[in-house]
Amino acid sequence: MNVESKINIRNQNLEQLQNFVAALGQPGYRALQMYDWLWNKGVQNFQECNNIPISMREHFESNFYIDGIAEDTVQISMDGTIKTRFRLIDHAMIESVLIPVPEDGRFTVCVSSQVGCSLSCKFCATGMMERVRNLTPGEIFDQVFKVNMQCMAYYGKPITNIVFMGMGEPLLNYKNVMTSIHHITGKHGLHMSPSRITISTAGIAKMISKLADDQSKVNLALSLHAADDDKRNEIMPINETNNLKALMAALSYFYKKTKGKISYEYIAFENFNDSTQDAYKLARLCQSFPVKVNIIEYNPVEGVHFVKSEENTIDRFARILREKNIMVTVRRSRGKDIDAACGQLANK
């Protein structure tokens, strides 16, 4: 598709569309109709907008393009997890994952926010890729829209939760991520509750504070993975410029301003961050504001030397935290057999 001379219509707000429609001498409600097609019906082609006159569709097509994504490959895990690789309009690839837990009535979509990632976390397959570009609001929205359709087709249920835990660092694509959430939660769009959305970050302190200043209603998850700066510096280079003191201050500010839910994601690595001492250090990081800890089983990544902690070690670690009255969940991996588990997304 030749889009060089055209404008991405999903980067236009409603007022801009209304101005375009008015310049054509058309009634204002035509812009509302188009907005509905884009953000409620998830249209990928102007010709599908059948309540808009053909001549007007042609005007839209001459001036705009839709940055739709297309299903490239679908893999289904033995545990029911579904990983989809999507092809973008510039032929770049991203991955999204549907994580079903039917017994709990939870169907979660894990979405990507960037093509690749720039943070180079030492345990993560995506971190080994270069960051190519940020995803647009439309490309993020489409992942939710298309995986929701997938969920309906496979499980007969809509998605219940959205986690920004796929490829990329959401807070380094802040504007586009928040715009996509505006459309996902808006009455003109998918009308999902922001309380069902979690943004996961490797730890960008100033952007966590911005999230608070913007009075966001989403939940926040910090990919912590180590409870002291030395260990965190070793596995997450971002910590060198966003240390734990700065992150704790930003999270405290976020909680004070929004009262939003905060969680720590903590992958357990054998003989690295799973000792009794590590558990007590983590407990101290849970004292400043209400926080839930999700202890995650490490998923193997080719070329990475880390090994997952033994189950009894993880259970002991969790028990120490619970004795400190900290809410803890131990998450067993899902989708490992199709490289869809935490840290494994790399367009395979």
Side-chain angles (χ1 to χ4, degrees), residues 3-47:
V3 299
E4 292 180 4
S5 61
K6 298 181 182 180
I7 298 168
N8 181 355
I9 193 169
R10 292 197 292 189
N11 283 347
Q12 303 290 291
N13 60 32
L14 181 57
E15 183 180 357
Q16 289 169 313
L17 284 186
Q18 287 170 331
N19 290 339
F20 177 77
V21 167
L24 296 177
Q26 293 285 338
Y29 69 82
R30 294 298 187 195
L32 292 170
Q33 287 177 321
M34 180 55 71
Y35 219 57
D36 181 65
W37 281 109
L38 294 171
W39 299 113
N40 181 265
K41 298 181 174 68
V43 72
Q44 304 271 291
N45 188 310
F46 291 114
Q47 297 310 315

Side-chain angles (χ1 to χ4, degrees), residues 179-216:
T179 301
S180 74
I181 290 173
H182 166 72
H183 295 301
I184 290 166
T185 59
K187 290 182 179 179
H188 68 280
L190 301 184
H191 206 190
M192 290 191 68
S193 170
S195 66
R196 296 282 188 173
I197 300 173
T198 299
I199 291 179
S200 177
T201 176
I204 317 293
K206 69 177 183 180
M207 301 312 294
I208 292 172
S209 296
K210 179 167 176 53
L211 204 59
D213 288 335
D214 289 345
Q215 289 292 305
S216 173

Side-chain angles (χ1 to χ4, degrees), residues 158-170:
I159 58 171
T160 59
N161 297 80
I162 301 168
V163 292
F164 282 80
M165 295 182 180
M167 301 169 72
E169 165 55 56

Side-chain angles (χ1 to χ4, degrees), residues 237-304:
I238 189 63
N239 196 72
E240 294 174 10
T241 52
N242 290 262
N243 63 23
L244 288 172
K245 181 178 179 181
L247 290 176
M248 293 306 111
L251 289 171
S252 294
Y253 183 72
F254 175 85
Y255 180 75
K256 180 181 178 182
K257 294 274 284 191
T258 71
K259 295 297 185 287
K261 292 181 181 178
I262 299 172
S263 60
Y264 292 153
E265 306 295 311
Y266 195 94
I267 297 175
F269 303 112
E270 185 177 61
N271 298 325
F272 179 74
N273 66 348
D274 61 353
S275 70
T276 298
Q277 184 181 20
D278 289 313
Y280 285 119
K281 286 181 179 179
L282 177 55
R284 285 196 288 274
L285 293 181
C286 296
Q287 302 306 314
S288 300
F289 41 82
V291 62
K292 176 185 177 183
V293 176
N294 294 314
I295 303 175
I296 303 167
E297 180 183 77
Y298 176 63
N299 305 299
V301 173
E302 186 177 347
V304 175

